[in-house]
Amino acid sequence: MPTTNPTPTTMKHVTMHWNPADPVAPNSVEELIHRSNCLGTDQRITNTGGGNTSSKISEKDPLTGEMVEVMWVKGSGGDLRTSKKENFSSLYQSKLLDLQRVYAARAEKGLKSPAEDEMVGMFSHCTFNLNPRPSSIDTPLHSFIPHAHVDHTHPNAAISVAACAKSIEVTKEIYGDEVVHIPWMRPGFELGLAMQEACKNHPQAKGFIMGQHGLINWGKTGRECYELTLELIEKAAEHIEKKQAERGGEAAIFGGAVQAALPEEKRREVFAALLPWLRGQVSQKKRFIATIQDDEKILRFVNSKDAPRLAELGTSCPDHFLRTKIKPLYIGTAPKADTPVEESLR
Ligand SMILES: [Zn+2]
C-alpha cells in the first residue's frame, strides 16, 4: 500500500520554501521563476545546474495579437536556485507538438537516430518572441507531457529508487498507481514521445520515476506541482529510511564498517601533510583548490566494507557526471604511522 501523504509541516527530507503569501501571480513566468528558485534552494532536490521546470502560459502573440499557449522551460545552463527570466526559453507549444508530425514523416527514426538528433535543432524554430535562450535537451519531455506545470529534478532519494535493481517494484510499493516507472532512455524526442504515451495509458499518474535518472511530475497549478515534487521526494526518502531501519540501521549500511575513522585531530594532521602535496600533483597544468568533506555520512561510506566496490560503480544519474565526473577514485591505503602520508599514496 502506498504510504500516507506527508504534509509540508511533517516533511523531514525536503523543505518548503514557497510561502503561500509570496506575491506571485498564478500562471505567470514570475511564478515559474519563483517555483524554480524555491526548488533549487533545497539542494537535496536537484544538483547544481541540473533539473528543469516549465509552465505552459497563455500569452499574446506579437505576430498576430492573439492569445497563444507558450511553454516557458528552463534553458541550457544556469541553476534553478538562481534562475531569472533570461534563463528560460519560450516556445510556441503548438509548434513543438507539430514537430511530432515532422519527426513521424522521417523514414529512419528512433532512439539515437540522426532524425532524433536533428529535432534538437528544430526547437529554435519554435521560439516565441525572439527569446535568445537556447532550449534544453529536455524540452520535448516538458512539451509532450500534457499538463500545465512540470518539474524535472534529480533528488538523491528518487534516484535511489530509479537506479535500484527492483526499481519497477519499488516505485509501485512507494507510490501505488500515482507514479509510473519509465525505463531509462536518454533525454530527447523519443523520451518525450514515450512520456506522452505513458500519460495516455496512465491517466491517473501524477509523475514518473525515470529509470536510472530522476523524477518528473506535474500539476494543474504551479503551486500544486511544487508541493507534489516535495511530497514525492519525501515519500521516497521515508521509504528508504524505513527499509534501512529494518535492515540494521546505519551500522549495517554499505556492508558495515571495516575500519574506524581517525580521531578528528589526527585527520587534521593528515590533511595538513597530504593536501599541499596533492594540490601540487593536480595543479601542474591548471590550478585547483580542494574541498574536504569528512562528516559522519562520508566517514561511514569510506570506512565501509562495500565502499571500494560502490565507488567503482560510479554515479547513478547521468546528470551528476557533469559536475562529479563518472566515478570517484577510492584509495584504500590508510597512512601508516611511520610513513609520510604522501609516501603511502605514491
Ligand atoms: Zn534530468
Side-chain angles (χ1 to χ4, degrees), residues 155-176:
N156 289 341
I159 292 171
S160 303
V161 175
C164 72
K166 292 184 179 167
S167 184
I168 296 171
E169 292 90 331
V170 175
T171 302
K172 189 99 183 151
E173 194 181 342
I174 299 172
Y175 301 111

Side-chain angles (χ1 to χ4, degrees), residues 127-149:
T127 299
F128 173 81
N129 203 16
L130 304 178
N131 184 340
R133 170 63 51 184
S135 60
S136 149
I137 188 101
D138 290 332
T139 298
L141 285 50
H142 287 269
S143 173
F144 300 168
I145 287 176
H147 298 280
H149 305 272

Side-chain angles (χ1 to χ4, degrees), residues 46-47 50-52 137-138 141 152-154 184 187 210 213-215 317-319:
T46 205
N47 51 319
N52 33 50
I137 188 101
D138 290 332
L141 285 50
H152 167 48
T153 52
H154 306 128
W184 158 256
M210 299 162 67
H213 185 156
L215 176 67
C317 169
D319 257 78

Side-chain angles (χ1 to χ4, degrees), residues 32 35-36 39-40 45-47 49-54 73-74 80 136-139 141-142 145 149-155 158-159 162 184-187 191 195 208-218 225 229 233 317-319:
L32 171 63
R35 183 174 110 223
S36 309
L39 286 170
I45 291 179
T46 205
N47 51 319
N52 33 50
T53 47
S54 68
V73 57
K74 201 205 89 180
L80 281 180
S136 149
I137 188 101
D138 290 332
T139 298
L141 285 50
H142 287 269
I145 287 176
H149 305 272
V150 180
D151 286 345
H152 167 48
T153 52
H154 306 128
I159 292 171
W184 158 256
M185 205 185 276
R186 71 166 193 180
L191 182 56
M195 287 185 171
F208 301 136
I209 283 285
M210 299 162 67
Q212 292 157 274
H213 185 156
L215 176 67
I216 193 161
N217 52 272
W218 48 85
C225 185
T229 302
I233 299 168
C317 169
D319 257 78

Side-chain angles (χ1 to χ4, degrees), residues 22 217 245 323:
D22 288 344
N217 52 272
R323 298 254 161 197

Side-chain angles (χ1 to χ4, degrees), residues 4 6 14 25 35 54 83 88 102 115 146 157 173 176 211 213 222 224 238 245 269 289 298 311 320:
T4 49
V14 279
R35 183 174 110 223
S54 68
S83 283
F88 290 82
V102 176
E173 194 181 342
H213 185 156
E224 186 185 302
E238 275 178 4
E269 267 176 43
I289 55 167
I298 290 287
H320 286 100

